[in-house]
């Protein structure tokens, strides 16, 4: 299943995949099925050690996995990567080898200063690990973005593209970016739209209906449950497909009321969010928060868990067993160590 580019560039290479979460497992399996030599680097007694061995992988402690590798893929949570680099990668990675990330956060915000004698590249499939694996297995792939931060071998671009081919991205679409663009757009998307923006919009809509005297159960269905129907249409064919499948009444409401909710003031605040990302304010705050033991993070998370929409939703979802049957598992445990 491997492409000629993969064969030519990485055919004789050993690839160390550090981490075996959603993306780590998918990358490791796809690379191996592309005919490449893969070792998985994990803590000896970590929860993923036996899982990786059960999948038939050669598993080693991170430092040992790195020593003989020609390409090291760092697929662990952002906040554990700097220590992992200092302890296991920097002392062991071979000169001329490639260090690969799936997110540019630590390099872009200078939490990791890669050795000057190695290639530093990025490959990020635009989908969760389960989708990356599933699409590969049926002969397709998930579009991926790639970047080169440091090229000492003269082959950094070829390595990035070959790795992307190895996980199936080349079957779909490869888009060139850089560490700055990938990091800043990824953080902005999460904060302003996908996670922060969407969840706050849903909570505000729920509160507005309940405060106006409507039943919480009805409000839940109207502002949260049915959002999936709209997002699926966005995903399949953009805004135009959504407009094709909703009623004319819904379309008219979209046109006249959407701009009343998401107005110029909202966009101005989005620009403030982007500025905090671009100038490093968000990164500094998040790094400091993590080092302090996550006091605000825990407080914010608990407030979300205790919001009335969660209490109502839990009761309603218990009456919809099909949701549990199809529920995806969490993509990762972002604050745990490797393995």
């Amino acid at each position: 299943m491997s492409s000629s580019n993969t064969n030519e560039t990485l055919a004789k290479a050993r690839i160390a995949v550090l981490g075996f979460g959603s993306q780590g497992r998918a990358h490791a399996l796809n690379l191996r099925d592309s005919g490449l030599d893969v070792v998985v680097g994990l803590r000896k007694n970590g929860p993923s050690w036996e899982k990786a061995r059960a999948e038939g992988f050669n598993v080693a402690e991170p430092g040992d996995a790195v020593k003989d590798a020609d390409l090291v893929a760092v697929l662990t949570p952002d906040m554990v990567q700097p220590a992992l680099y200092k302890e296991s990668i920097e002392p062991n990675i071979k000169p001329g080898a490639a260090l690969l990330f799936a997110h540019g956060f630590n390099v872009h915000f200078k939490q990791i200063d890669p050795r000057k004698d190695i290639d530093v590249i990025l490959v990020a499939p635009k989908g969760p690990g389960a989708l990356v694996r599933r699409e590969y297995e049926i002969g397709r792939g998930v579009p991926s973005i790639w970047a080169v931060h440091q090229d000492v071998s003269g082959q950094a671009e070829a390595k990035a593209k070959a790795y992307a081919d190895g996980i199936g991205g080349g079957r779909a679409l490869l888009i060139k970016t850089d560490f700055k663009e990938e990091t800043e757009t990824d953080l902005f998307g999460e904060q302003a739209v996908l996670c922060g923006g969407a969840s706050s919009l849903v909570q505000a809509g729920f509160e507005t209906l309940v405060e106006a005297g409507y039943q919480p159960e009805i409000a839940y269905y109207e502002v949260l449950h049915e959002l999936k129907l709209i997002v699926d249409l966005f995903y399949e064919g953009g805004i135009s497909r959504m407009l094709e499948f909703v009623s004319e009444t819904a379309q008219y409401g979209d046109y006249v009321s959407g701009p009343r909710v998401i107005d110029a003031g909202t966009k101005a605040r989005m620009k403030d969010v982007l500025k905090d990302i671009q100038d490093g304010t968000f990164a500094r705050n998040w790094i400091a928060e993590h080092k302090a033991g996550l006091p605000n993070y825990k407080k914010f998370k608990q407030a979300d868990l205790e919001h009335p929409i969660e209490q109502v939703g839990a009761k309603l979802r218990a009456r919809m067993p099909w949701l549990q049957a199809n529920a995806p598992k969490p993509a990762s445990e972002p604050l745990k160590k490797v393995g």
Side-chain angles (χ1 to χ4, degrees):
M1 289 186 177
S2 56
S3 74
S4 60
N5 186 34
T6 305
N7 286 331
E8 292 168 6
T9 307
L10 296 178
K12 298 179 180 179
R14 164 157 282 206
I15 300 174
V17 173
L18 305 186
F20 204 69
S22 174
Q23 289 289 345
R25 177 179 180 274
H27 288 218
L29 288 169
N30 290 6
L31 292 166
R32 185 176 67 183
D33 288 351
S34 290
L36 302 177
D37 180 16
V38 178
V39 58
V40 176
L42 299 167
R43 285 183 299 123
K44 185 67 178 284
N45 296 315
S48 297
W49 181 277
E50 289 304 326
K51 292 179 184 177
R53 290 189 63 182
E55 298 266 19
F57 285 104
N58 177 14
V59 185
E61 294 271 6
D64 293 331
V66 169
K67 282 179 183 175
D68 296 323
D70 301 290
L71 187 152
V72 177
V74 184
L75 300 175
T76 60
D78 291 334
M79 290 298 106
V80 305
Q81 288 181 12
L84 176 67
Y85 177 76
K86 280 290 183 186
E87 296 166 10
S88 301
I89 300 173
E90 187 174 43
N92 295 304
I93 191 169
K94 299 188 298 187
L99 181 61
L100 181 145
F101 296 89
H103 181 36
F105 185 97
N106 283 302
V107 172
H108 179 59
F109 290 119
K110 306 189 187 314
Q111 299 307 295
I112 293 176
D113 181 18
R115 272 180 19 202
K116 303 306 178 189
D117 61 348
I118 58 175
D119 294 337
V120 182
I121 57 180
L122 180 147
V123 174
K126 303 311 292 179
L131 182 67
V132 172
R133 180 58 181 161
R134 186 166 67 248
E135 286 297 290
Y136 182 95
E137 288 182 301
I138 61 176
R140 300 188 305 210
V142 173
S144 300
I145 60 177
W146 65 274
V148 173
H149 176 74
Q150 195 167 278
D151 182 5
V152 300
S153 70
Q155 292 293 308
E157 178 176 333
K159 292 176 185 178
K161 289 180 177 178
Y163 184 96
D165 282 343
I167 62 172
R171 300 171 178 174
L173 175 67
L174 300 182
I175 303 174
K176 183 178 182 180
T177 184
D178 56 47
F179 276 57
K180 178 180 186 295
E181 182 177 60
E182 186 279 332
T183 301
E184 294 176 355
T185 56
D186 184 84
L187 292 175
F188 177 81
E190 291 169 352
Q191 294 174 32
V193 180
L194 306 177
C195 303
S199 59
S200 293
L201 185 66
V202 166
Q203 288 174 342
F206 177 86
E207 291 166 5
T208 299
L209 287 176
V210 172
E211 289 166 7
Y214 299 105
Q215 294 180 68
E217 293 81 4
I218 301 297
Y220 175 88
Y221 278 116
E222 293 302 332
V223 305
L224 189 153
H225 183 82
E226 293 189 18
L227 182 61
K228 183 185 186 303
L229 306 176
I230 302 303
V231 171
D232 283 351
L233 292 171
F234 282 165
Y235 184 77
E236 293 165 7
I239 293 172
S240 59
R241 181 168 177 82
M242 181 273 288
L243 293 172
E244 289 175 13
F245 281 83
V246 299
S247 69
E248 291 177 337
T249 304
Q251 289 182 43
Y252 182 69
D254 173 308
Y255 302 144
V256 300
S257 296
R260 296 173 65 191
V261 177
I262 307 299
D263 60 10
T266 307
K267 189 173 178 181
R269 291 187 293 275
M270 282 184 167
K271 288 183 177 180
D272 289 340
V273 170
L274 181 57
K275 181 177 179 296
D276 282 352
I277 292 168
Q278 291 172 325
D279 66 19
T281 298
F282 169 78
R284 288 190 295 273
N285 290 345
W286 172 224
I287 292 163
E289 174 73 14
H290 191 266
K291 289 180 178 177
L294 303 168
N296 293 304
Y297 170 96
K298 292 174 182 175
K299 180 179 67 177
F300 297 148
K301 185 171 186 177
Q302 191 61 33
D304 268 356
L305 294 175
E306 292 174 357
H307 191 281
I309 199 171
E310 287 302 294
Q311 317 310 314
V312 172
K315 294 176 182 177
L316 294 176
R317 289 190 296 273
R319 300 298 184 95
M320 297 182 279
W322 62 89
L323 297 180
Q324 280 66 48
N326 298 320
K329 292 181 172 58
S332 66
E333 293 292 339
L335 302 177
K336 292 184 179 178
K337 292 187 177 180
V338 185

